[in-house]
């Protein structure tokens, strides 16, 4: 059964006979994109040329196009599939289901003709992700080491909202993070009745518009490059400015600044500068969440994705030790042994 799933050297998650997820594989006619983050779009242009079909949710298609100007997905061999709907491909059945990560993110289930269930989580946060029961499971391993645990006694979302609210009294508050997660922050703030304008540069604005089209309630957005947005920031009026992580070196240096990051485990909130804070908001499961998913999936064999992070080997060892389930990391790193 081991060959029913693998992770190739270039990061393609191979499921059953036909499917390659999240990177190009020359032997697989069906490419699936689990979500629009760059480390899951590997070789997509090649897949568009060489695969029979490229499958993803509608939201992932729209986000991927927005984030990559040179990608043309409409009118190509891309087929969109809703959560819970099944596609028959050769002798296999493919179903996408929700992954709580960014808008459009999906888990993949392949059922082969012998009835074996082969699943891949993609990136996920355990909170709102339905667990797929499977025989063979490929699981992400971003926080795959036991040191990556967030046992905070406060709700990080509530904390973030109250931090923003408090700092708005002093004018514009800058929030930094990745595409997708910042739109989650916008939604959290709107749900908490924060009504100030949200100001952002073009690319963030475009992503926000896609999220709104797909049902997220973000309460409108203002471009930082147009006069309204420019004026709000220049005059330091109460508003929240959303910038990509890469803009931290130059945006809002005179203002209150909050960075949302999953890579903080000791404190829900840490001061990292004069008026700058790190808030531990993640869109991935921590170590305990990964173990919990594997346990509830009832998988008999697990492969950890060791391509996108280097914690796959530790996670595989811990799955075997804690759950007694056979687990290996793929692709294997040098010196790694197979359980
Ligand atoms: Zn991701």
């Amino acid at each position: 059964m081991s060959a029913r799933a693998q992770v190739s050297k270039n990061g393609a998650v191979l499921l059953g006979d036909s499917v390659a997820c999240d990177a190009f594989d020359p032997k697989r006619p069906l490419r699936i994109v689990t979500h629009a983050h760059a480390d899951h779009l590997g070789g997509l242009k090649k897949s568009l040329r060489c695969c029979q079909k490229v499958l993803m949710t509608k939201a992932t298609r729209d986000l991927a196009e927005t984030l990559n100007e040179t990608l043309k997905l409409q009118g190509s061999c891309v087929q969109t599939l809703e959560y819970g709907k099944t596609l028959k491909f050769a002798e296999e059945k493919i179903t996408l289901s929700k992954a709580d990560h960014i808008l459009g993110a999906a888990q993949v289930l392949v059922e082969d003709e012998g009835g074996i269930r082969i699943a891949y989580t993609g990136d996920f946060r355990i909170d709102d992700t339905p667990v797929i029961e499977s025989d063979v499971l490929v699981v992400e391993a971003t926080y795959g080491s036991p040191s990556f645990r967030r046992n905070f006694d406060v709700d990080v979302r509530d904390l973030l909202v109250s931090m923003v609210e408090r700092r708005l009294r002093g004018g514009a508050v800058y929030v930094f993070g990745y595409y997708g997660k910042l739109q989650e922050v916008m939604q959290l703030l709107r749900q908490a009745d924060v009504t100030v304008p949200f100001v952002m540069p073009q690319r963030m604005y475009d992503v926000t518009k896609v999220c709104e089209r797909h049902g997220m309630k973000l309460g409108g957005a203002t471009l930082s490059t147009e006069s309204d947005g420019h004026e709000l920031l220049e005059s330091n009026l109460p508003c929240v400015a959303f910038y990509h992580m890469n803009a931290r070196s130059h945006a809002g240096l005179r203002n209150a600044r909050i960075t949302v990051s999953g890579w903080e485990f000791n404190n829900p909130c840490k001061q990292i500068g004069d008026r700058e804070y790190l808030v531990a908001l993640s869109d991935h499961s921590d170590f305990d969440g990964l173990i919990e998913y594997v346990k509830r999936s009832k998988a008999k064999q697990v492969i950890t994705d060791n391509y996108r992070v280097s914690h796959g080997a530790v996670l595989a060892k811990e799955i075997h030790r804690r759950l007694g389930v056979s687990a290996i990391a793929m692709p294997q790193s040098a010196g790694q042994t197979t359980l």
Side-chain angles (χ1 to χ4, degrees):
M1 210 150 73
S2 63
R4 302 314 290 145
Q6 298 175 57
V7 183
S8 76
K9 280 202 176 62
N10 67 343
V13 177
L14 310 178
L15 309 174
D17 293 328
S18 305
V19 171
C21 303
D22 293 350
F24 174 69
D25 185 273
K27 294 202 180 73
R28 302 284 172 138
L30 178 59
R31 163 77 187 265
I32 297 178
V33 178
T34 60
H35 65 285
H37 279 150
D39 56 338
H40 296 259
L41 301 180
L44 184 52
K45 285 183 183 165
K46 215 164 181 187
S47 297
L48 291 169
R49 282 200 306 276
C50 306
C51 292
Q52 262 178 52
K53 245 188 231 303
V54 177
L55 198 67
M56 61 190 83
T57 64
K58 272 200 178 85
T60 293
R61 180 196 64 191
D62 294 352
L63 280 177
E65 266 191 341
T66 303
L67 290 168
N68 303 273
E69 281 147 16
T70 58
L71 263 185
K72 290 277 166 281
L73 301 180
Q74 316 256 1
S76 63
C77 62
V78 168
Q79 182 178 333
T80 60
L81 190 66
E82 282 173 49
Y83 296 143
K85 293 261 158 46
T86 296
L87 172 83
K88 190 117 195 306
F89 191 92
E91 300 305 315
E92 297 175 327
K93 287 188 285 185
I94 290 108
T95 311
L96 302 182
S97 43
K98 185 192 160 168
D100 178 11
H101 181 58
I102 61 166
L103 179 80
Q107 310 179 77
V108 183
L109 171 67
V110 174
E111 293 164 275
D112 73 9
E113 55 182 332
I116 293 175
R117 294 166 64 86
I118 309 146
Y120 168 43
T121 60
D123 289 350
F124 74 102
R125 178 169 50 189
I126 189 86
D127 311 45
D128 258 329
T129 300
V131 174
I132 302 174
E133 289 194 10
S134 58
D135 300 296
V136 182
L137 173 70
V138 182
V139 65
E140 67 125 319
T142 306
Y143 298 123
S145 157
S147 56
F148 299 145
R149 284 189 166 107
R150 294 182 210 98
N151 295 320
F152 305 139
D153 53 3
V154 295
D155 186 316
V156 176
R157 293 177 172 96
D158 293 346
L159 178 89
L160 176 62
V161 169
S162 61
M163 281 182 73
V164 172
E165 281 175 330
R166 215 172 314 135
R167 281 158 187 79
L168 276 170
R169 290 177 211 145
V173 177
Y174 282 69
V175 181
F176 298 89
Y178 290 106
Y179 297 123
K181 200 199 285 186
L182 284 186
Q183 281 69 29
E184 183 194 344
V185 173
M186 293 176 201
Q187 186 161 262
L188 282 174
L189 293 171
R190 291 305 191 211
Q191 282 166 352
D193 292 328
V194 173
T195 55
V196 298
F198 289 170
V199 183
M200 61 204 78
Q202 188 71 54
R203 179 68 58 88
M204 191 64 73
Y205 179 89
D206 294 340
V207 171
T208 301
K209 289 291 150 189
V210 171
C211 291
E212 286 192 311
R213 274 211 306 281
H214 285 274
M216 289 180 77
K217 303 268 186 284
L218 309 181
T222 306
L223 270 170
S224 57
T225 46
E226 290 196 346
S227 55
D228 289 3
H230 188 72
E231 168 69 14
L232 284 162
L233 297 181
E234 279 303 299
S235 308
N236 194 26
L237 297 171
C239 65
V240 185
F242 290 93
Y243 278 80
H244 190 270
M245 204 67 124
N246 296 343
R248 273 177 75 195
S249 59
H250 59 268
L253 295 174
R254 291 173 295 131
N255 288 71
R257 288 152 47 97
I258 297 169
T259 296
V260 287
S261 168
W263 289 102
E264 171 57 38
F265 300 96
N266 297 322
N267 300 294
C269 170
K270 187 161 99 183
Q271 185 159 10
I272 53 172
D274 185 24
R275 298 180 68 195
E276 186 168 12
Y277 297 84
L278 195 66
V279 172
L281 183 74
S282 179
D283 49 17
H284 289 268
S285 292
D286 70 355
F287 175 77
D288 292 329
L290 293 171
I291 295 286
E292 186 187 331
Y293 187 104
V294 172
K295 189 176 173 189
R296 283 166 51 198
S297 77
K298 303 190 179 121
K300 299 168 197 73
Q301 183 163 54
V302 178
I303 292 153
T304 60
D305 180 354
N306 200 37
Y307 174 80
R308 286 166 185 84
V309 290
S310 52
H311 307 295
V314 182
L315 181 60
K317 207 180 284 174
E318 293 293 334
I319 289 169
H320 186 248
R321 194 171 73 81
R322 288 160 195 258
L323 306 176
V325 174
S326 151
I328 56 166
M330 293 184 81
Q332 292 206 343
S333 33
Q336 187 184 321
T337 50
T338 305
L339 287 167

